[in-house]
Amino acid sequence: MSPAQPIDRISADDLMSLAADSGSAPMQVGAILALDIAPGQTPALLLEKLTGRIRAVPRLRQRLTPVPPGCGRPVWMKDNHFDPDHHLGLVRCPAPCGEEGVLRIAADTLVTPLPRDRPLWVAKLITGIDQDPHHAALVFVFHHVLTDGIGGLAVLQTLAGPESEGDPGEEAALPLSPLLLAADNARNHLKGLARLPASLKRLAAGAWELRVPGRKRLTPTSLNQPTGPRRQLAVLRFELEAVKTAARAQGATVNDLVLTAAAAALNRLLLGRGETVNEFVISVPFSARRQTTINHLGNQNGVIPVPVPATGPADVRLCAVAAATRAAKRQPPGASSALLGPLSRLLERTGGFRYVIEHQRLVHTFVSDLRGPEHGMRLSGAEVTGIIPLGAISGNVTVAFAVLSYAGTLTITAIADPDTCPDLAELCKELTSEVQALTTPKGP
């Protein structure tokens, strides 16, 4: 990299993802792409084509590089020793292997830390699914510092594009001098002073986002316990149009309906454990952008704690959730990171981050929702028949939900720590029942 080229630093929002690595498992997310390999194709050929597509996404060939003290945030630099074989691999699923086997491989991949001395992602092409040579799955996992969910979709859609011609003649990255980095850091601080009025306004908006009216610290429940290093995944699927129709009838969104169903399902789960919680506070990410490109990745979102009633008539609960999220959306999106970012970094530097997140009593769970492609995609000639989102849990949140729509299907992935949430199957049963109740047309 020559001095004339821009220095590609991670953002303040990205630093929050690095701080979160102080938890019991790495802050890694991703997706599972269910694939239908056409006759005449082979998994090895598909992987070879995918290797070619990696060239189309520069960030997948860059590593996060630390800088000397006083030189600012870490920078993204091309990995001169990038080797696709370190990231892409074939995995034969032990027979009989169905979706549960794929989910076990994905869960293990999520909690295996990615080496920091190379690009922060890994992809495994799983074959032998249902003993059908045409059925395969691509598990794609990346560190959250690489990008958020919106950026992750941009990466997947680029990988599903036409094959790249390669990058012949691309120069190797040169080390950045401390003097150059320090000068760039000083310029960034000066620019930050010029943005001070806007930053103060964003801080105020962030404080509004994070408040929960009339709410103090949550009463302790079994939902909030320090989590261990293992993860378990479960997947639910619903017809997207039915969910949309039911939500719109109440002036709500798909996300509102999922939040409403999740709270009721958690209520029933806790009743089975001998606990009673009539309202849940759910952390919901709100992105500062609706879409992005592979040249503008990173993280641009914040979180809002949404109080969600768990008892009472379903339509009343859904309307209450819709009103709460509408009010939240009137604030600058992502403003909460203006407060959470500096606090997370301070706690991480002082060694207190893990203690705080393992003892927080602000939210019960997380629900992240992404609007995926409306039409089916193809990946290196293979049809993508479905996409399963892979989220993360941290601290004392024992179960959370990742939601993604793709080609007419709404997929909800529940991710849990099996030691502190051993009844994930029962939770998914209750969640299915709640979504079906909310989407079933009412009689006259």
Side-chain angles (χ1 to χ4, degrees), residues 369-392:
D369 185 8
L370 281 174
R371 181 183 299 175
E374 295 182 1
H375 305 288
M377 302 187 304
R378 299 187 71 84
L379 183 71
S380 299
E383 181 184 359
V384 180
T385 58
I387 302 180
I388 298 173
L390 300 176

Side-chain angles (χ1 to χ4, degrees), residues 12 17 22 30-31 41 61 97 120 144 152 175 187-188 195 221 223 227 231 236 244 257-258 274 322 362 377 385 389:
S17 298
S22 300
Q41 281 191 320
R61 294 178 292 119
C97 178
L120 295 172
H144 213 318
R187 286 193 295 270
N188 288 337
R195 295 191 299 266
T221 73
L223 279 180
T227 54
R231 296 295 179 262
L236 308 174
K244 280 185 177 180
L257 189 144
V258 173
L362 299 176
M377 302 187 304
T385 58

Side-chain angles (χ1 to χ4, degrees), residues 140-270:
F140 184 82
V141 169
F142 56 91
H143 196 287
H144 213 318
V145 71
L146 193 148
T147 190
D148 53 20
I150 298 292
L153 284 175
V155 170
L156 290 180
Q157 289 178 302
T158 300
L159 293 179
E163 291 187 46
S164 173
E165 295 297 328
D167 51 6
E170 184 176 351
E171 295 182 359
L174 300 176
L176 293 170
S177 72
L179 182 61
L180 181 66
L181 288 167
D184 179 74
N185 186 43
R187 286 193 295 270
N188 288 337
H189 280 302
L190 289 174
K191 292 177 182 178
L193 289 175
R195 295 191 299 266
L196 184 58
S199 298
L200 292 174
K201 184 178 180 181
R202 193 165 182 247
L203 279 169
W208 189 96
E209 277 189 3
L210 293 172
R211 93 202 198 296
V212 178
R215 170 71 63 182
K216 297 182 180 180
R217 299 183 71 192
L218 302 178
T219 301
T221 73
S222 58
L223 279 180
N224 296 115
Q225 306 177 59
T227 54
R230 299 195 303 143
R231 296 295 179 262
Q232 181 181 5
L233 303 171
V235 178
L236 308 174
R237 296 177 178 85
F238 304 95
E239 183 186 353
L240 178 60
E241 192 55 39
V243 177
K244 280 185 177 180
T245 299
R248 288 171 180 166
Q250 300 295 332
T253 66
V254 169
N255 187 52
D256 297 332
L257 189 144
V258 173
L259 290 173
T260 303
L266 290 170
N267 169 264
R268 291 182 177 274
L269 181 77
L270 290 186

Side-chain angles (χ1 to χ4, degrees), residues 19-226:
D21 259 354
S22 300
S24 59
M27 187 53 63
Q28 295 170 185
V29 294
I32 303 172
L33 278 62
L35 303 175
D36 189 357
I37 301 177
Q41 281 191 320
T42 65
L45 179 60
L46 192 155
L47 205 61
E48 181 181 342
K49 291 182 177 180
L50 186 59
T51 300
R53 287 302 303 145
I54 297 302
R55 300 187 182 96
V57 186
R59 182 69 84 234
L60 298 185
R61 294 178 292 119
Q62 296 173 334
R63 62 185 179 89
L64 191 59
T65 307
V67 299
C71 292
R73 300 169 187 151
V75 298
W76 291 105
M77 293 187 64
K78 180 187 175 184
D79 183 359
N80 294 330
H81 304 289
F82 174 73
D83 185 348
D85 290 340
H86 290 160
H87 303 269
L88 291 162
L90 276 172
V91 177
R92 179 76 183 181
C93 199
C97 178
E99 184 171 83
E100 286 190 8
V102 173
L103 294 178
R104 283 195 297 271
I105 294 173
D108 289 343
T109 307
L110 277 174
V111 297
T112 302
L114 294 164
R116 291 293 184 92
D117 61 350
R118 61 185 64 162
L120 295 172
W121 64 275
V122 66
K124 297 179 179 180
L125 182 61
I126 304 173
T127 62
I129 301 174
D130 299 324
Q131 301 184 40
D132 187 327
H134 301 299
H135 289 176
L138 182 73
V139 176
F140 184 82
V141 169
F142 56 91
H143 196 287
H144 213 318
V145 71
L146 193 148
T147 190
D148 53 20
I150 298 292
L153 284 175
V155 170
L156 290 180
Q157 289 178 302
T158 300
L159 293 179
E163 291 187 46
S164 173
E165 295 297 328
D167 51 6
E170 184 176 351
E171 295 182 359
L174 300 176
L176 293 170
S177 72
L179 182 61
L180 181 66
L181 288 167
D184 179 74
N185 186 43
R187 286 193 295 270
N188 288 337
H189 280 302
L190 289 174
K191 292 177 182 178
L193 289 175
R195 295 191 299 266
L196 184 58
S199 298
L200 292 174
K201 184 178 180 181
R202 193 165 182 247
L203 279 169
W208 189 96
E209 277 189 3
L210 293 172
R211 93 202 198 296
V212 178
R215 170 71 63 182
K216 297 182 180 180
R217 299 183 71 192
L218 302 178
T219 301
T221 73
S222 58
L223 279 180
N224 296 115
Q225 306 177 59

